[in-house]
Amino acid sequence: DAGVTQSPTHLIKTRGQQVTLRCSPKSGHDTVSWYQQALGQGPQFIFQYYEEEERQRGNFPDRFSGHQFPNYSSELNVNALLLGDSALYLCASSPAGQNEKLFFGSGTQLSVL
Amino acid sequence: GENVEQHPSTLSVQEGDSAVIKCTYSDSASNYFPWYKQELGKGPQLIIDIRSNVGEKKDQRIAVTLNKTAKHFSLHITETQPEDSAVYFCAASSGGGATNKLIFGTGTLLAVQP
């Protein structure tokens, strides 16, 4: 049983560019959450998707957007990248009815130069 | 606002000793408290969790205790082994209802010396 998979594993972008990160949830999971983890910090909640809709959003600007597809996979898009967006972006999936129980992927390390 | 404080930030123990990590949360509505282990280059891995209707939970060498009145919860690792070395994060649920996001602590770097 494959766990949560994320792609790409590493990404380098320049300031002002746009980026799309992808996530496939664990089999049987229907909810996907995205977190940002800065170096030396705990993960910070960006948003959660369920039934292809954004169900809750953390304290992140509108430059951060997402999407969930019918197969439960998800994308995170970040526009107008800033240097401060450099971080590890983590996707987590949750089983039906337990949306707080998170199973994380290995993340995408984004570097903005 | 919602906040989870975690202490200590670093912890060094000898192999075989016990390790304790403590967290305090601010949201009285929090009812789910997981602990995650993160190894270098990997995502956080859920190692144990507890719900607010339980005061203690144990899984082999790992145990978690919860004091809802004081808004404290702790992770206890007994008979530590070098492979326990990692960063540990506590978290508390927030938001309630249909959507529960997790608020994470700032992490504890545990080093188990052989």
Side-chain angles (χ1 to χ4, degrees):
Chain A
D1 175 30
V4 178
T5 58
Q6 291 187 244
S7 63
T9 55
H10 295 83
L11 203 52
I12 299 175
K13 291 287 187 178
T14 56
R15 202 169 39 174
Q17 285 189 310
Q18 177 265 342
V19 68
T20 297
L21 311 182
R22 295 176 176 82
C23 172
S24 292
K26 205 170 152 60
S27 177
H29 288 191
D30 61 359
T31 301
V32 172
S33 302
W34 287 92
Y35 283 76
Q36 180 195 65
Q37 186 177 25
L39 193 62
Q41 300 295 317
Q44 301 268 328
F45 176 73
I46 302 175
F47 41 51
Q48 184 179 89
Y49 276 85
Y50 172 71
E51 292 188 339
E52 302 179 50
E53 290 195 359
E54 182 183 294
R55 192 155 68 171
Q56 189 177 6
R57 188 180 186 90
N59 189 24
F60 279 81
D62 292 345
R63 297 186 298 109
F64 290 76
S65 63
H67 189 78
Q68 186 180 32
F69 299 94
N71 66 353
Y72 308 120
S73 67
S74 178
E75 288 181 350
L76 165 66
N77 301 292
V78 187
N79 293 324
L81 284 167
L82 303 174
L83 298 180
D85 294 332
S86 296
L88 180 67
Y89 288 85
L90 294 163
C91 171
S93 68
S94 305
Q98 299 182 64
N99 59 43
E100 75 280 6
K101 193 156 191 163
L102 304 180
F103 293 82
F104 284 93
S106 293
T108 293
Q109 185 65 55
L110 173 65
S111 298
V112 182
L113 305 179
Chain B
E2 306 147 334
N3 188 46
V4 174
E5 293 189 359
Q6 182 172 347
H7 300 280
S9 56
T10 61
L11 180 58
S12 181
V13 299
Q14 291 295 124
E15 183 177 357
D17 286 351
S18 295
V20 180
I21 303 170
K22 298 182 179 182
C23 289
T24 304
Y25 62 98
S26 62
D27 186 352
S28 300
S30 294
N31 59 9
Y32 175 68
F33 307 91
W35 285 88
Y36 286 85
K37 174 184 181 182
Q38 187 172 25
E39 297 174 314
L40 200 61
K42 297 185 179 180
Q45 177 190 3
L46 179 66
I47 56 172
I48 194 167
D49 55 9
I50 192 169
R51 296 194 179 271
S52 58
N53 57 347
V54 176
E56 184 174 356
K57 184 176 178 180
K58 190 173 181 180
D59 182 5
Q60 298 181 4
R61 298 185 296 109
I62 295 174
V64 57
T65 58
L66 171 65
N67 182 331
K68 280 219 77 177
T69 303
K71 296 183 190 172
H72 290 168
F73 58 115
S74 300
L75 177 71
H76 304 253
I77 305 175
T78 58
E79 301 171 23
T80 53
Q81 302 167 3
E83 51 265 38
D84 294 329
S85 296
V87 178
Y88 290 81
F89 291 97
C90 63
S93 65
S94 185
T99 305
N100 270 310
K101 64 182 180 184
L102 291 182
I103 306 298
F104 283 81
T106 49
T108 296
L109 176 59
L110 173 64
V112 180
Q113 310 297 333

mmCIF file of all heavy atoms in Angstrom, chain A residues 3-13 19-25 32 34 69 73-78 88-92 104-110:
data_model
loop_
_atom_site.group_PDB
_atom_site.id
_atom_site.type_symbol
_atom_site.label_atom_id
_atom_site.label_comp_id
_atom_site.label_asym_id
_atom_site.label_seq_id
_atom_site.Cartn_x
_atom_site.Cartn_y
_atom_site.Cartn_z
ATOM 1 N N GLY A 3 2.053 4.966 0.404
ATOM 2 C CA GLY A 3 1.658 6.047 1.295
ATOM 3 C C GLY A 3 1.350 7.289 0.484
ATOM 4 O O GLY A 3 1.084 7.234 -0.708
ATOM 5 N N VAL A 4 1.431 8.437 1.130
ATOM 6 C CA VAL A 4 1.211 9.714 0.469
ATOM 7 C C VAL A 4 2.439 10.019 -0.395
ATOM 8 O O VAL A 4 3.571 9.957 0.106
ATOM 9 C CB VAL A 4 1.004 10.838 1.503
ATOM 10 C CG1 VAL A 4 0.834 12.173 0.797
ATOM 11 C CG2 VAL A 4 -0.196 10.517 2.392
ATOM 12 N N THR A 5 2.204 10.313 -1.658
ATOM 13 C CA THR A 5 3.326 10.621 -2.539
ATOM 14 C C THR A 5 3.230 12.061 -3.016
ATOM 15 O O THR A 5 2.140 12.553 -3.343
ATOM 16 C CB THR A 5 3.378 9.667 -3.752
ATOM 17 O OG1 THR A 5 2.137 9.760 -4.459
ATOM 18 C CG2 THR A 5 3.572 8.233 -3.298
ATOM 19 N N GLN A 6 4.389 12.725 -3.060
ATOM 20 C CA GLN A 6 4.452 14.115 -3.488
ATOM 21 C C GLN A 6 5.489 14.277 -4.592
ATOM 22 O O GLN A 6 6.512 13.595 -4.592
ATOM 23 C CB GLN A 6 4.846 15.025 -2.314
ATOM 24 C CG GLN A 6 3.783 15.134 -1.248
ATOM 25 C CD GLN A 6 4.128 16.169 -0.195
ATOM 26 O OE1 GLN A 6 4.315 15.845 0.977
ATOM 27 N NE2 GLN A 6 4.222 17.429 -0.622
ATOM 28 N N SER A 7 5.198 15.206 -5.502
ATOM 29 C CA SER A 7 6.176 15.504 -6.546
ATOM 30 C C SER A 7 6.137 16.992 -6.882
ATOM 31 O O SER A 7 5.091 17.639 -6.740
ATOM 32 C CB SER A 7 5.873 14.676 -7.807
ATOM 33 O OG SER A 7 4.611 15.026 -8.334
ATOM 34 N N PRO A 8 7.283 17.567 -7.275
ATOM 35 C CA PRO A 8 8.602 16.931 -7.240
ATOM 36 C C PRO A 8 9.152 16.904 -5.809
ATOM 37 O O PRO A 8 8.537 17.455 -4.903
ATOM 38 C CB PRO A 8 9.433 17.867 -8.120
ATOM 39 C CG PRO A 8 8.810 19.208 -7.905
ATOM 40 C CD PRO A 8 7.339 18.962 -7.729
ATOM 41 N N THR A 9 10.296 16.303 -5.597
ATOM 42 C CA THR A 9 10.894 16.269 -4.258
ATOM 43 C C THR A 9 11.634 17.570 -3.967
ATOM 44 O O THR A 9 11.657 18.023 -2.822
ATOM 45 C CB THR A 9 11.861 15.091 -4.113
ATOM 46 O OG1 THR A 9 12.834 15.158 -5.158
ATOM 47 C CG2 THR A 9 11.117 13.772 -4.206
ATOM 48 N N HIS A 10 12.232 18.140 -5.005
ATOM 49 C CA HIS A 10 12.954 19.405 -4.852
ATOM 50 C C HIS A 10 12.621 20.310 -6.034
ATOM 51 O O HIS A 10 12.375 19.827 -7.150
ATOM 52 C CB HIS A 10 14.478 19.186 -4.821
ATOM 53 C CG HIS A 10 14.948 18.410 -3.647
ATOM 54 N ND1 HIS A 10 14.918 17.032 -3.596
ATOM 55 C CD2 HIS A 10 15.465 18.813 -2.460
ATOM 56 C CE1 HIS A 10 15.401 16.619 -2.437
ATOM 57 N NE2 HIS A 10 15.736 17.678 -1.729
ATOM 58 N N LEU A 11 12.645 21.620 -5.776
ATOM 59 C CA LEU A 11 12.305 22.587 -6.808
ATOM 60 C C LEU A 11 13.014 23.893 -6.514
ATOM 61 O O LEU A 11 13.034 24.347 -5.364
ATOM 62 C CB LEU A 11 10.788 22.796 -6.794
ATOM 63 C CG LEU A 11 10.058 23.308 -8.028
ATOM 64 C CD1 LEU A 11 10.408 22.476 -9.248
ATOM 65 C CD2 LEU A 11 8.564 23.264 -7.774
ATOM 66 N N ILE A 12 13.590 24.479 -7.548
ATOM 67 C CA ILE A 12 14.222 25.789 -7.401
ATOM 68 C C ILE A 12 13.541 26.759 -8.348
ATOM 69 O O ILE A 12 13.404 26.482 -9.549
ATOM 70 C CB ILE A 12 15.737 25.725 -7.713
ATOM 71 C CG1 ILE A 12 16.433 24.774 -6.748
ATOM 72 C CG2 ILE A 12 16.360 27.127 -7.616
ATOM 73 C CD1 ILE A 12 17.914 24.560 -7.051
ATOM 74 N N LYS A 13 13.082 27.884 -7.810
ATOM 75 C CA LYS A 13 12.390 28.899 -8.594
ATOM 76 C C LYS A 13 13.004 30.269 -8.278
ATOM 77 O O LYS A 13 13.714 30.429 -7.272
ATOM 78 C CB LYS A 13 10.891 28.919 -8.248
ATOM 79 C CG LYS A 13 10.125 27.702 -8.711
ATOM 80 C CD LYS A 13 9.923 27.721 -10.205
ATOM 81 C CE LYS A 13 9.019 26.602 -10.656
ATOM 82 N NZ LYS A 13 8.784 26.643 -12.133
ATOM 83 N N VAL A 19 4.517 28.272 -9.041
ATOM 84 C CA VAL A 19 4.897 26.875 -8.858
ATOM 85 C C VAL A 19 3.648 26.033 -8.582
ATOM 86 O O VAL A 19 2.667 26.519 -7.984
ATOM 87 C CB VAL A 19 5.918 26.734 -7.714
ATOM 88 C CG1 VAL A 19 5.284 27.046 -6.352
ATOM 89 C CG2 VAL A 19 6.540 25.351 -7.703
ATOM 90 N N THR A 20 3.677 24.790 -9.042
ATOM 91 C CA THR A 20 2.604 23.825 -8.760
ATOM 92 C C THR A 20 3.213 22.578 -8.147
ATOM 93 O O THR A 20 4.132 21.988 -8.722
ATOM 94 C CB THR A 20 1.839 23.448 -10.039
ATOM 95 O OG1 THR A 20 1.203 24.619 -10.567
ATOM 96 C CG2 THR A 20 0.777 22.404 -9.733
ATOM 97 N N LEU A 21 2.705 22.193 -6.990
ATOM 98 C CA LEU A 21 3.159 20.991 -6.303
ATOM 99 C C LEU A 21 2.015 19.981 -6.315
ATOM 100 O O LEU A 21 0.842 20.363 -6.225
ATOM 101 C CB LEU A 21 3.552 21.317 -4.851
ATOM 102 C CG LEU A 21 4.485 22.514 -4.661
ATOM 103 C CD1 LEU A 21 4.814 22.689 -3.184
ATOM 104 C CD2 LEU A 21 5.741 22.370 -5.483
ATOM 105 N N ARG A 22 2.362 18.710 -6.394
ATOM 106 C CA ARG A 22 1.354 17.679 -6.542
ATOM 107 C C ARG A 22 1.401 16.652 -5.418
ATOM 108 O O ARG A 22 2.469 16.390 -4.858
ATOM 109 C CB ARG A 22 1.501 16.987 -7.898
ATOM 110 C CG ARG A 22 1.227 17.939 -9.058
ATOM 111 C CD ARG A 22 1.448 17.324 -10.418
ATOM 112 N NE ARG A 22 1.063 18.264 -11.476
ATOM 113 C CZ ARG A 22 1.826 19.243 -11.933
ATOM 114 N NH1 ARG A 22 3.034 19.417 -11.443
ATOM 115 N NH2 ARG A 22 1.381 20.054 -12.881
ATOM 116 N N CYS A 23 0.234 16.053 -5.154
ATOM 117 C CA CYS A 23 0.110 15.110 -4.048
ATOM 118 C C CYS A 23 -0.911 14.034 -4.378
ATOM 119 O O CYS A 23 -2.017 14.330 -4.851
ATOM 120 C CB CYS A 23 -0.331 15.867 -2.790
ATOM 121 S SG CYS A 23 -0.760 14.821 -1.395
ATOM 122 N N SER A 24 -0.527 12.789 -4.118
ATOM 123 C CA SER A 24 -1.473 11.672 -4.218
ATOM 124 C C SER A 24 -1.687 11.109 -2.826
ATOM 125 O O SER A 24 -0.711 10.729 -2.158
ATOM 126 C CB SER A 24 -0.930 10.583 -5.141
ATOM 127 O OG SER A 24 -0.884 11.040 -6.464
ATOM 128 N N PRO A 25 -2.926 11.044 -2.370
ATOM 129 C CA PRO A 25 -3.170 10.595 -1.002
ATOM 130 C C PRO A 25 -3.003 9.087 -0.850
ATOM 131 O O PRO A 25 -2.918 8.349 -1.825
ATOM 132 C CB PRO A 25 -4.625 11.001 -0.761
ATOM 133 C CG PRO A 25 -5.248 10.968 -2.112
ATOM 134 C CD PRO A 25 -4.166 11.393 -3.068
ATOM 135 N N VAL A 32 -7.374 15.874 1.905
ATOM 136 C CA VAL A 32 -5.973 16.261 1.735
ATOM 137 C C VAL A 32 -5.737 17.628 2.388
ATOM 138 O O VAL A 32 -6.524 18.556 2.190
ATOM 139 C CB VAL A 32 -5.590 16.328 0.243
ATOM 140 C CG1 VAL A 32 -4.196 16.926 0.076
ATOM 141 C CG2 VAL A 32 -5.643 14.945 -0.386
ATOM 142 N N TRP A 34 -2.620 20.621 3.261
ATOM 143 C CA TRP A 34 -1.284 21.108 2.907
ATOM 144 C C TRP A 34 -0.719 21.919 4.068
ATOM 145 O O TRP A 34 -1.429 22.716 4.696
ATOM 146 C CB TRP A 34 -1.346 21.989 1.658
ATOM 147 C CG TRP A 34 -1.579 21.226 0.388
ATOM 148 C CD1 TRP A 34 -2.780 20.943 -0.202
ATOM 149 C CD2 TRP A 34 -0.585 20.661 -0.476
ATOM 150 N NE1 TRP A 34 -2.588 20.235 -1.367
ATOM 151 C CE2 TRP A 34 -1.244 20.055 -1.558
ATOM 152 C CE3 TRP A 34 0.820 20.621 -0.437
ATOM 153 C CZ2 TRP A 34 -0.569 19.406 -2.590
ATOM 154 C CZ3 TRP A 34 1.504 19.979 -1.460
ATOM 155 C CH2 TRP A 34 0.811 19.384 -2.524
ATOM 156 N N PHE A 69 -8.842 16.836 -7.064
ATOM 157 C CA PHE A 69 -9.427 16.172 -8.220
ATOM 158 C C PHE A 69 -10.354 15.043 -7.786
ATOM 159 O O PHE A 69 -10.320 14.618 -6.631
ATOM 160 C CB PHE A 69 -8.300 15.645 -9.121
ATOM 161 C CG PHE A 69 -7.412 16.726 -9.631
ATOM 162 C CD1 PHE A 69 -6.243 17.074 -8.969
ATOM 163 C CD2 PHE A 69 -7.746 17.446 -10.776
ATOM 164 C CE1 PHE A 69 -5.426 18.092 -9.429
ATOM 165 C CE2 PHE A 69 -6.942 18.467 -11.248
ATOM 166 C CZ PHE A 69 -5.781 18.794 -10.569
ATOM 167 N N SER A 73 -6.568 13.227 -5.479
ATOM 168 C CA SER A 73 -5.253 13.851 -5.547
ATOM 169 C C SER A 73 -5.419 15.365 -5.496
ATOM 170 O O SER A 73 -6.522 15.898 -5.694
ATOM 171 C CB SER A 73 -4.504 13.423 -6.810
ATOM 172 O OG SER A 73 -5.143 13.933 -7.958
ATOM 173 N N SER A 74 -4.313 16.060 -5.242
ATOM 174 C CA SER A 74 -4.420 17.499 -4.997
ATOM 175 C C SER A 74 -3.206 18.228 -5.544
ATOM 176 O O SER A 74 -2.127 17.640 -5.737
ATOM 177 C CB SER A 74 -4.546 17.749 -3.491
ATOM 178 O OG SER A 74 -4.600 19.129 -3.189
ATOM 179 N N GLU A 75 -3.389 19.498 -5.811
ATOM 180 C CA GLU A 75 -2.299 20.390 -6.213
ATOM 181 C C GLU A 75 -2.290 21.615 -5.315
ATOM 182 O O GLU A 75 -3.342 22.075 -4.860
ATOM 183 C CB GLU A 75 -2.479 20.862 -7.665
ATOM 184 C CG GLU A 75 -2.233 19.809 -8.706
ATOM 185 C CD GLU A 75 -2.392 20.348 -10.127
ATOM 186 O OE1 GLU A 75 -2.885 21.487 -10.290
ATOM 187 O OE2 GLU A 75 -2.021 19.612 -11.056
ATOM 188 N N LEU A 76 -1.082 22.113 -5.065
ATOM 189 C CA LEU A 76 -0.893 23.386 -4.384
ATOM 190 C C LEU A 76 -0.212 24.315 -5.373
ATOM 191 O O LEU A 76 0.810 23.964 -5.954
ATOM 192 C CB LEU A 76 -0.020 23.203 -3.138
ATOM 193 C CG LEU A 76 0.568 24.464 -2.509
ATOM 194 C CD1 LEU A 76 -0.524 25.352 -1.942
ATOM 195 C CD2 LEU A 76 1.569 24.099 -1.402
ATOM 196 N N ASN A 77 -0.790 25.490 -5.585
ATOM 197 C CA ASN A 77 -0.214 26.493 -6.467
ATOM 198 C C ASN A 77 0.195 27.714 -5.652
ATOM 199 O O ASN A 77 -0.561 28.156 -4.777
ATOM 200 C CB ASN A 77 -1.240 26.925 -7.520
ATOM 201 C CG ASN A 77 -1.719 25.764 -8.361
ATOM 202 O OD1 ASN A 77 -0.967 25.200 -9.146
ATOM 203 N ND2 ASN A 77 -2.965 25.377 -8.186
ATOM 204 N N VAL A 78 1.369 28.228 -5.956
ATOM 205 C CA VAL A 78 1.814 29.467 -5.320
ATOM 206 C C VAL A 78 2.224 30.432 -6.426
ATOM 207 O O VAL A 78 3.087 30.112 -7.253
ATOM 208 C CB VAL A 78 2.988 29.255 -4.349
ATOM 209 C CG1 VAL A 78 3.288 30.559 -3.597
ATOM 210 C CG2 VAL A 78 2.696 28.129 -3.371
ATOM 211 N N LEU A 88 9.711 23.626 3.188
ATOM 212 C CA LEU A 88 9.278 22.268 2.845
ATOM 213 C C LEU A 88 7.752 22.276 2.829
ATOM 214 O O LEU A 88 7.122 22.664 3.813
ATOM 215 C CB LEU A 88 9.802 21.271 3.877
ATOM 216 C CG LEU A 88 9.431 19.798 3.671
ATOM 217 C CD1 LEU A 88 10.111 19.236 2.425
ATOM 218 C CD2 LEU A 88 9.813 18.965 4.895
ATOM 219 N N TYR A 89 7.161 21.886 1.720
ATOM 220 C CA TYR A 89 5.711 21.845 1.621
ATOM 221 C C TYR A 89 5.248 20.398 1.765
ATOM 222 O O TYR A 89 5.625 19.528 0.983
ATOM 223 C CB TYR A 89 5.246 22.462 0.296
ATOM 224 C CG TYR A 89 5.422 23.953 0.323
ATOM 225 C CD1 TYR A 89 6.641 24.525 -0.016
ATOM 226 C CD2 TYR A 89 4.395 24.788 0.751
ATOM 227 C CE1 TYR A 89 6.826 25.901 0.068
ATOM 228 C CE2 TYR A 89 4.567 26.153 0.826
ATOM 229 C CZ TYR A 89 5.788 26.702 0.489
ATOM 230 O OH TYR A 89 5.966 28.063 0.582
ATOM 231 N N LEU A 90 4.431 20.192 2.773
ATOM 232 C CA LEU A 90 3.985 18.853 3.132
ATOM 233 C C LEU A 90 2.523 18.660 2.782
ATOM 234 O O LEU A 90 1.683 19.510 3.077
ATOM 235 C CB LEU A 90 4.172 18.629 4.633
ATOM 236 C CG LEU A 90 5.603 18.611 5.141
ATOM 237 C CD1 LEU A 90 5.642 18.805 6.646
ATOM 238 C CD2 LEU A 90 6.286 17.303 4.762
ATOM 239 N N CYS A 91 2.241 17.536 2.176
ATOM 240 C CA CYS A 91 0.870 17.125 1.919
ATOM 241 C C CYS A 91 0.543 16.008 2.900
ATOM 242 O O CYS A 91 1.399 15.155 3.193
ATOM 243 C CB CYS A 91 0.732 16.634 0.486
ATOM 244 S SG CYS A 91 -0.845 15.858 0.108
ATOM 245 N N ALA A 92 -0.670 16.018 3.409
ATOM 246 C CA ALA A 92 -1.103 14.965 4.324
ATOM 247 C C ALA A 92 -2.501 14.520 3.927
ATOM 248 O O ALA A 92 -3.333 15.347 3.555
ATOM 249 C CB ALA A 92 -1.103 15.464 5.765
ATOM 250 N N PHE A 104 1.494 12.059 6.518
ATOM 251 C CA PHE A 104 2.255 12.979 5.692
ATOM 252 C C PHE A 104 3.063 12.273 4.614
ATOM 253 O O PHE A 104 3.550 11.154 4.800
ATOM 254 C CB PHE A 104 3.235 13.789 6.543
ATOM 255 C CG PHE A 104 2.596 14.884 7.341
ATOM 256 C CD1 PHE A 104 2.184 14.670 8.644
ATOM 257 C CD2 PHE A 104 2.417 16.145 6.791
ATOM 258 C CE1 PHE A 104 1.603 15.688 9.389
ATOM 259 C CE2 PHE A 104 1.847 17.170 7.515
ATOM 260 C CZ PHE A 104 1.430 16.941 8.816
ATOM 261 N N GLY A 105 3.247 12.987 3.495
ATOM 262 C CA GLY A 105 4.233 12.596 2.510
ATOM 263 C C GLY A 105 5.598 13.127 2.919
ATOM 264 O O GLY A 105 5.746 13.745 3.982
ATOM 265 N N SER A 106 6.589 12.894 2.081
ATOM 266 C CA SER A 106 7.958 13.345 2.388
ATOM 267 C C SER A 106 8.203 14.797 2.040
ATOM 268 O O SER A 106 9.229 15.352 2.396
ATOM 269 C CB SER A 106 8.975 12.464 1.661
ATOM 270 O OG SER A 106 8.947 11.149 2.191
ATOM 271 N N GLY A 107 7.249 15.413 1.347
ATOM 272 C CA GLY A 107 7.345 16.835 1.101
ATOM 273 C C GLY A 107 8.046 17.221 -0.184
ATOM 274 O O GLY A 107 8.739 16.427 -0.822
ATOM 275 N N THR A 108 7.844 18.478 -0.556
ATOM 276 C CA THR A 108 8.565 19.103 -1.661
ATOM 277 C C THR A 108 9.375 20.251 -1.080
ATOM 278 O O THR A 108 8.810 21.153 -0.450
ATOM 279 C CB THR A 108 7.605 19.658 -2.727
ATOM 280 O OG1 THR A 108 6.928 18.583 -3.356
ATOM 281 C CG2 THR A 108 8.376 20.463 -3.772
ATOM 282 N N GLN A 109 10.688 20.202 -1.263
ATOM 283 C CA GLN A 109 11.566 21.278 -0.784
ATOM 284 C C GLN A 109 11.622 22.354 -1.858
ATOM 285 O O GLN A 109 12.176 22.133 -2.932
ATOM 286 C CB GLN A 109 12.959 20.738 -0.487
ATOM 287 C CG GLN A 109 13.888 21.782 0.118
ATOM 288 C CD GLN A 109 13.425 22.245 1.483
ATOM 289 O OE1 GLN A 109 13.208 21.455 2.391
ATOM 290 N NE2 GLN A 109 13.272 23.563 1.643
ATOM 291 N N LEU A 110 11.042 23.514 -1.571
ATOM 292 C CA LEU A 110 11.015 24.631 -2.513
ATOM 293 C C LEU A 110 12.037 25.676 -2.096
ATOM 294 O O LEU A 110 12.027 26.140 -0.954
ATOM 295 C CB LEU A 110 9.617 25.263 -2.554
ATOM 296 C CG LEU A 110 9.488 26.548 -3.370
ATOM 297 C CD1 LEU A 110 9.742 26.270 -4.853
ATOM 298 C CD2 LEU A 110 8.115 27.181 -3.176
#
